[in-house]
Each structure stands twice: as C-alpha cells, then as structure tokens.
Amino acid sequence: IFLSGIVGLIMTRILRKDFARYNEGALTEEEREEANKEMREETGWKLVYGDVFRPPPMATLLSVYAGTGCQLLVMSLLTLAFAVLGFLSPANRGAL
C-alpha cells in the first residue's frame, strides 16, 4: 500500500507538471520560443497516452486468467492459514 501511494504521488506530480506545460497560455514571445524548443521532443504523458488507454488484444482471456489466478491464490492462502491455526490435522483427514 505504501509503495502504491508513492507511485501515485510521483505520477500525480508528473501529470500535473505535463498538463501545466501543455496548457501554458499567458507567455511572452521569448518564453514561447523556449517552450517550443523543449516541446519538439515529445516526452511524458503524450507519449504513453495511446498505450495506457488501449484495450488488450484478448481482453476476455486476460480477465479469465486474472480471475483464476486470484481464486487460486486466495484458496491457497486460506488453506495455509487453516493449517497454521491447526484446523487441518493429518489425524482427522477430510474434516475441518
């Protein structure tokens, strides 16, 4: 959760800076020329915009694999938790 918060904070700063740079309206002529020099090489959000919102080629298959993987992970963790708590015992096979 902490790492996700840090990544979100960094992305927010980058996007805010990019949007401010793209939407600058009240600039002098010299500042505009300097900004145009910097804008010649597109960087930041405009480069990844098309890839971020592009749907995956096999969206249904991706959702099936993601759902199956989540189900297997949760069931494995629950089984391990029950074993650690002592609910699963080799002496009582098949009983919880």
Side-chain angles (χ1 to χ4, degrees), residues 66-88:
T68 303
C70 288
Q71 184 177 4
L72 286 174
L73 178 69
V74 169
M75 293 310 297
S76 298
L77 291 175
L78 281 174
T79 303
L80 286 173
F82 280 144
V84 167
L85 294 174
F87 291 121
L88 297 176

Side-chain angles (χ1 to χ4, degrees), residues 56 58-67:
M58 300 176 135
T60 306
L61 191 61
L62 176 65
S63 65
V64 168
Y65 283 151

Side-chain angles (χ1 to χ4, degrees), residues 21-39:
R21 186 172 32 152
Y22 296 141
N23 295 327
E24 289 175 343
L27 294 177
T28 65
E29 190 61 35
E30 292 175 1
E31 290 174 339
R32 284 188 185 164
E33 288 176 11
E34 185 177 324
N36 286 336
K37 287 179 186 176
E38 292 176 3
M39 292 288 284

